Amino acid sequence: FELAQFQTLVQALAARLAGAPKDQGAGIYLYKHLREKVKKGEKLFTVYADNKQKMSYALHYLKESKAYLFLLI
């Protein structure tokens, strides 16, 4: 598969909820970028936060936002 689109606004808001840019240890690390090949089960991104409460906010937002991934076959 090829990663065609991921809602960047969703990523940005999740990073903010995790504490970025204020908290230096918070943010999102992207493992895959647009047009890169993706295998089933591969990580696309990881969210980092300096405390459990902010991580909880970010993860809840990602689950509730129903962020869509578009993969080209």
Side-chain angles (χ1 to χ4, degrees):
F1 297 102
E2 184 178 291
L3 187 59
Q5 182 179 354
F6 183 68
Q7 294 178 350
T8 55
L9 183 60
V10 171
Q11 288 177 328
L13 192 50
R16 302 271 307 181
L17 289 169
K22 200 176 199 179
D23 301 338
Q24 290 185 342
I28 292 183
Y29 180 83
L30 300 174
Y31 295 100
K32 296 290 181 179
H33 301 279
L34 294 181
R35 304 290 179 224
E36 282 192 55
K37 298 291 182 189
V38 178
K39 293 179 184 174
K40 184 177 180 178
E42 275 189 297
K43 286 184 183 181
L44 299 178
F45 62 93
T46 298
V47 177
Y48 293 94
D50 284 344
N51 66 58
K52 289 181 181 183
Q53 185 177 12
K54 289 181 180 179
M55 177 62 85
S56 177
Y57 291 151
L59 294 178
H60 178 76
Y61 172 72
L62 285 169
K63 288 177 187 175
E64 294 299 315
S65 71
K66 296 181 175 67
Y68 295 100
L69 294 174
F70 295 93
L71 301 174
L72 297 177
I73 298 174

